[in-house]
């Protein structure tokens, strides 16, 4: 591929990116990604604005599934305070792997991608589940792509301030 970024998540904006499983073999997870944006001023972006990448491939080496937490229904009481009476369910180990791989096979929209205080990476997303959080670890990550599609959605009016 023409462009490669290794271990530098801060160059990218994942909000509204769409993850789809390509393969998983020998603890290497490969996903295709649409709607991934790269920040202006980064080594891999020759444009003067944040740009949407046409389609990227993300490869995680030594990927380890930690947990998968599906969303719960929230309600609002008479005072406007949100609450849920559903139990929190967190899948770990093989169950977490099965749940996340199912979401990636179907395809998932990412709302947030980052690192937690405990060092785990995570993303909040929606796919088959209306909302979920997946936590995971890996040794290295490579993001590759060939072309840019257009300026990032948030660079266009009315979003740009």
């Amino acid at each position: 591929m023409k462009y490669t970024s290794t271990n530098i998540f801060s160059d990218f904006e994942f909000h509204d990116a769409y993850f789809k499983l390509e393969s998983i073999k020998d603890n290497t997870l490969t996903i295709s990604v649409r709607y991934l944006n790269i920040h202006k001023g980064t080594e891999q972006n020759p444009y003067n604005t944040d740009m949407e990448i046409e389609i990227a491939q993300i490869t995680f080496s030594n990927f380890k599934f930690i947990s998968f937490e599906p969303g719960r229904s929230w309600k609002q009481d008479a005072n406007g305070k949100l609450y849920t009476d559903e139990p929190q369910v967190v899948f770990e180990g093989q169950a977490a792997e099965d749940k996340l791989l199912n979401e990636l096979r179907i395809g998932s929209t990412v709302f947030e991608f980052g690192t937690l205080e405990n060092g785990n990476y995570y993303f909040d997303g929606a796919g088959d589940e209306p909302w979920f959080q997946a936590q995971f670890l890996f040794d290295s990550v490579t993001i590759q792509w060939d072309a840019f599609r257009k300026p990032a959605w948030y660079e266009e009016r009315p979003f740009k301030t």
Side-chain angles (χ1 to χ4, degrees), residues 120 150 158:
N120 290 349
K150 64 181 187 74

Side-chain angles (χ1 to χ4, degrees), residues 97-155:
E97 179 176 343
D98 293 345
K99 293 282 190 183
L100 180 54
L101 288 177
N102 181 62
E103 294 295 335
L104 293 174
R105 281 184 189 100
I106 292 167
S108 296
T109 299
V110 173
F111 303 125
E112 188 174 354
F113 189 108
T115 308
L116 298 169
E117 289 180 13
N118 64 7
N120 290 349
Y121 290 90
Y122 77 97
F123 76 88
D124 295 339
D128 192 36
E129 288 285 342
W131 181 90
F132 66 88
Q133 182 178 86
Q135 292 187 35
F136 48 90
L137 293 170
F138 55 88
D139 286 343
S140 67
V141 61
T142 303
I143 303 173
Q144 298 178 299
W145 68 99
D146 285 323
F148 297 92
R149 187 167 174 260
K150 64 181 187 74
W153 62 268
Y154 49 84
E155 291 286 358

Side-chain angles (χ1 to χ4, degrees), residues 19-157:
F19 286 11
K20 184 102 168 125
L21 179 68
E22 289 290 319
S23 67
I24 182 152
K25 184 176 182 183
D26 299 327
N27 296 324
T28 299
L29 175 68
T30 303
I31 58 175
S32 65
V33 182
R34 293 196 179 276
Y35 316 118
L36 177 64
N37 297 300
I38 185 167
H39 296 292
K40 67 181 174 186
T42 62
E43 180 182 345
Q44 300 292 344
N45 183 356
Y47 298 95
N48 194 24
T49 187
D50 285 15
M51 293 294 292
E52 181 181 313
I53 294 169
E54 188 170 298
I55 188 163
Q57 182 179 66
I58 302 180
T59 303
F60 298 92
S61 67
N62 199 25
F63 190 88
K64 182 178 180 187
F65 298 89
I66 302 295
S67 66
F68 182 94
E69 179 183 348
R72 298 180 278 170
S73 294
W74 291 83
K75 304 171 187 174
Q76 194 170 31
D77 67 16
N79 297 322
K81 185 176 178 181
L82 292 175
Y83 72 97
T84 183
D85 50 12
E86 293 183 8
Q88 180 180 19
V89 177
V90 178
F91 297 93
E92 296 179 340
Q94 187 63 51
E97 179 176 343
D98 293 345
K99 293 282 190 183
L100 180 54
L101 288 177
N102 181 62
E103 294 295 335
L104 293 174
R105 281 184 189 100
I106 292 167
S108 296
T109 299
V110 173
F111 303 125
E112 188 174 354
F113 189 108
T115 308
L116 298 169
E117 289 180 13
N118 64 7
N120 290 349
Y121 290 90
Y122 77 97
F123 76 88
D124 295 339
D128 192 36
E129 288 285 342
W131 181 90
F132 66 88
Q133 182 178 86
Q135 292 187 35
F136 48 90
L137 293 170
F138 55 88
D139 286 343
S140 67
V141 61
T142 303
I143 303 173
Q144 298 178 299
W145 68 99
D146 285 323
F148 297 92
R149 187 167 174 260
K150 64 181 187 74
W153 62 268
Y154 49 84
E155 291 286 358
E156 299 174 344
R157 302 257 180 237

